[in-house]
Amino acid sequence: MPTSDRSDARFSYEGLDRIIHERARLSVLTSLVSHPRGLAFPDLKRLCGLTDGNLSRHLAVLQEADLVSLEKGYDQNRPQTLCRLTPSGRTRFLDYLGVLEQVVRDAAQAAGRPQNSGGRPQNAAGRSQAADDRPAGHDRSGLAKPV
């Protein structure tokens, strides 16, 4: 039986970066991309639901890959670490999201699930799945909408 070459590997998704694809790091990058001025370590920890040590380790991996920058400083005489996406980190993350969107489109098409005009899979009621996954009263970042 002949082996197929890479051009036939339609579902190989080479752009799914292993550094980004880990759940906690994906959470960190999603939080940072939605906060372009950066986030203080405690805020990022809260948004991602991680412990100090877990977040520190994931930030070290992301910093080593030049996806995030960490700026240590002081806020009201207290030490503070500000976490930001680097310009190359933003580009890599957005490229990764493009590949991830293609994965969702391909999976929805293979499953015979209808998609809306934007290419997003729809639920049985015809609504975009992404909107249905957010808790009521929350915006795209997952934070509660201001009242």
Side-chain angles (χ1 to χ4, degrees):
M1 178 183 276
T3 60
S4 63
D5 62 9
R6 284 311 241 178
S7 63
D8 292 336
R10 178 176 171 207
F11 300 116
S12 68
Y13 305 112
E14 296 289 327
L16 288 180
D17 188 324
R18 286 174 130 338
I19 291 173
I20 296 172
H21 200 67
E22 197 284 326
R23 184 189 65 82
R25 291 192 286 266
L26 182 59
S27 173
V28 167
L29 293 172
T30 301
S31 298
L32 292 176
V33 80
S34 60
H35 295 87
R37 288 186 274 176
L39 286 167
F41 186 93
D43 296 330
L44 185 57
K45 176 182 140 182
R46 181 181 47 80
L47 283 172
C48 298
L50 298 171
T51 64
D52 286 353
N54 209 340
L55 178 56
S56 291
R57 180 63 190 128
H58 288 295
L59 285 172
V61 170
L62 293 169
Q63 185 179 31
E64 187 176 312
D66 193 36
L67 291 164
V68 301
S69 67
L70 304 177
E71 299 170 20
K72 300 204 182 258
Y74 289 88
D75 181 35
Q76 299 177 10
N77 290 330
R78 296 185 69 192
Q80 181 181 29
T81 300
L82 186 65
C83 310
R84 289 191 177 132
L85 272 179
T86 63
S88 63
R90 180 177 173 77
T91 300
R92 278 178 62 188
F93 185 61
L94 295 177
D95 290 347
Y96 168 85
L97 290 180
V99 175
L100 198 55
E101 287 173 344
Q102 185 62 51
V103 170
V104 171
R105 283 192 298 272
D106 289 348
Q109 184 178 16
R113 194 168 187 189
Q115 296 182 9
N116 67 17
S117 60
R120 291 186 179 185
Q122 295 178 339
N123 65 14
R127 293 180 53 205
S128 173
Q129 187 66 38
D132 292 338
D133 290 343
R134 286 192 294 271
H138 287 69
D139 65 12
R140 294 179 72 112
S141 71
L143 298 175
K145 292 180 184 175
V147 229

